[in-house]
Amino acid sequence: MTYKDAGVDIDAGTALVEAIKPLAKATRRAGADAGLGGFGALFDLKAAGFKDPILVAATDGVGTKLKLAIDADLHDYVGIDLVAMSVNDLVVQGAEPLFFLDYFATGRLDVAQGKALVAGIAEGCKQAGCALIGGETAEMPGMYAKGDYDLAGFAVGAAERGTLIDGATVAEGDVILGLASHGVHSNGFSLVRRILGKAGLKLSDPAPFAPGKRAGDALLTPTRIYVKSCLAGVRTGKVKALAHITGGGLFENVPRVLPKGLVAEIDAASWTLPPVFAWLKRAGGVAAGEMARTFNCGIGMMAICKPEDADALSALFAQEGEQVTRVGRIVTGDDIHARVLNLNAWDA
């Protein structure tokens, strides 16, 4: 017997590495040559321009959005998601993403599928300005059903000592700015899939919430990468805190960056619920409060600043390509979750 007889094709793994080398090379940046094939990857912080850096690390996956990607046979989109989920978590602390590594596990290696995934990862790295310097491909027959796979991503960033932001200076009366999302991003897809089933909507059907697109393409729109715009904001010194709106939605994420005794008061009526969320709410019979604790509902990142800095910071974010809305303020209180007001505005 051979290893291939047992379901592991070493030649396919080698072919995938060769196919993705140019993709990794295209993500080169100062400090990394983004070459693949060694046992470990190197990064030179001095070459990247850092003098006294603090390293910041993050890891995440894409969740059950992968099931939609597999069913729709659209794999490059979730590669971008994989990068976004980690690098957006780095930038909220004021760190610049430097490099990224991925872990791709499947029951049987499909070189074309793997290349599409890594192409998406490389695109996400380019958007974030970080290098794809390594990864791991695991072929594990018997662990995954035919066609299934899983992804995990690992990002490392850095900031000069003394420049990280942690929300410690946030005060009562500060303004919360919301940066628009690209759609559902990468959270809540177990509920999305249930709603699709209840509505009888197939991924190949026209999307009732996105004219001209199939449902699968629209729902798989990648997570927006906020790195460049948020770094620009952080470097002005006007951003006190940032919150990436992921699992837990509007209720859970902003409190993570607030000092004790302060609460985020978010006005759901300050922006229009995007069509994809309005459809999910209606088709699934989902209450507005449940929407707000499950999805980003149109706001993928929040920034907190002094009231007198809000206009200038909004203009900067807009210049960097973001759609910005004042969505709330900081008030005193001991609430565990954010207060989301006027949720009934989404029932119209």
Side-chain angles (χ1 to χ4, degrees):
M1 293 182 67
T2 67
Y3 207 9
K4 189 172 183 178
D5 292 333
V8 179
D9 190 342
I10 295 175
D11 291 335
T14 302
L16 178 58
V17 171
E18 291 304 312
I20 65 178
K21 278 183 177 180
L23 299 172
K25 189 175 181 180
T27 68
R28 281 184 184 179
R29 56 152 292 153
D33 64 10
L36 299 182
F39 286 96
L42 307 178
F43 191 92
D44 186 342
L45 285 164
K46 187 175 181 181
F50 289 92
K51 295 179 176 62
D52 186 16
I54 299 293
L55 294 180
V56 183
T59 183
D60 211 333
V62 181
T64 57
K65 189 175 185 178
L66 291 179
K67 289 296 292 181
L68 291 192
I70 291 164
D71 292 345
D73 197 25
L74 292 170
H75 309 288
D76 49 351
Y77 290 171
V78 288
I80 298 173
D81 284 305
L82 185 67
V83 177
M85 294 302 288
S86 286
V87 297
N88 284 343
D89 282 354
L90 294 183
V91 78
V92 300
Q93 295 177 86
E96 174 189 346
L98 302 176
F99 59 86
F100 189 85
L101 299 98
D102 69 280
Y103 176 78
F104 167 43
T106 185
R108 183 183 179 117
L109 186 58
D110 179 324
V111 174
Q113 182 191 70
K115 184 178 179 181
L117 287 167
V118 177
I121 292 169
E123 173 58 28
C125 286
K126 285 190 277 188
Q127 290 182 26
C130 63
L132 175 60
I133 62 173
E136 171 68 9
T137 299
E139 190 173 20
M140 299 189 288
M143 285 289 291
Y144 297 90
K146 184 178 179 181
D148 282 355
Y149 59 83
D150 199 8
L151 292 173
F154 312 87
V156 173
E160 293 291 357
R161 190 179 302 274
T163 66
L164 289 168
I165 59 173
D166 59 7
T169 63
V170 173
E172 182 182 8
D174 283 346
V175 170
I176 306 173
L177 302 177
L179 308 187
S181 69
H182 274 173
V184 185
H185 285 184
S186 296
N187 298 99
F189 273 87
S190 294
L191 179 56
V192 169
R193 289 165 49 236
R194 288 289 294 272
I195 294 171
L196 287 174
K198 179 183 177 183
L201 185 69
K202 297 178 181 177
L203 297 178
S204 57
D205 290 342
F209 45 83
K213 288 186 177 182
R214 295 183 305 171
D217 294 270
L219 288 169
L220 286 165
T221 300
T223 304
R224 183 166 179 80
I225 292 177
Y226 298 95
V227 168
K228 293 182 179 179
S229 59
C230 285
L231 279 180
V234 167
R235 287 165 180 165
T236 67
K238 292 179 169 63
V239 175
K240 290 187 172 187
L242 291 163
H244 184 201
I245 309 305
T246 55
L250 305 177
F251 282 103
E252 304 284 350
N253 289 288
V254 183
R256 296 166 65 180
V257 298
L258 297 182
K260 189 175 181 180
L262 295 178
V263 178
E265 194 172 79
I266 298 166
D267 184 1
S270 62
W271 75 95
T272 301
L273 191 68
V276 62
F277 296 107
W279 181 84
L280 289 168
K281 183 179 184 303
R282 184 173 61 255
V286 184
E290 185 68 13
M291 291 291 296
R293 71 191 298 265
T294 304
F295 301 113
N296 67 65
C297 295
I299 303 295
M301 182 72 75
M302 292 190 186
I304 301 173
C305 64
K306 293 179 180 178
E308 59 265 33
D309 291 333
D311 287 342
L313 202 53
S314 294
L316 175 65
F317 283 138
Q319 184 179 328
E320 292 291 327
E322 303 294 351
Q323 183 179 333
V324 192
T325 305
R326 287 198 190 200
V327 298
R329 61 184 183 136
I330 302 300
V331 299
T332 57
D334 56 4
D335 306 40
I336 297 174
H337 308 298
R339 299 173 188 168
V340 185
L341 311 178
N342 296 315
L343 282 167
N344 59 345
W346 293 352
D347 293 327

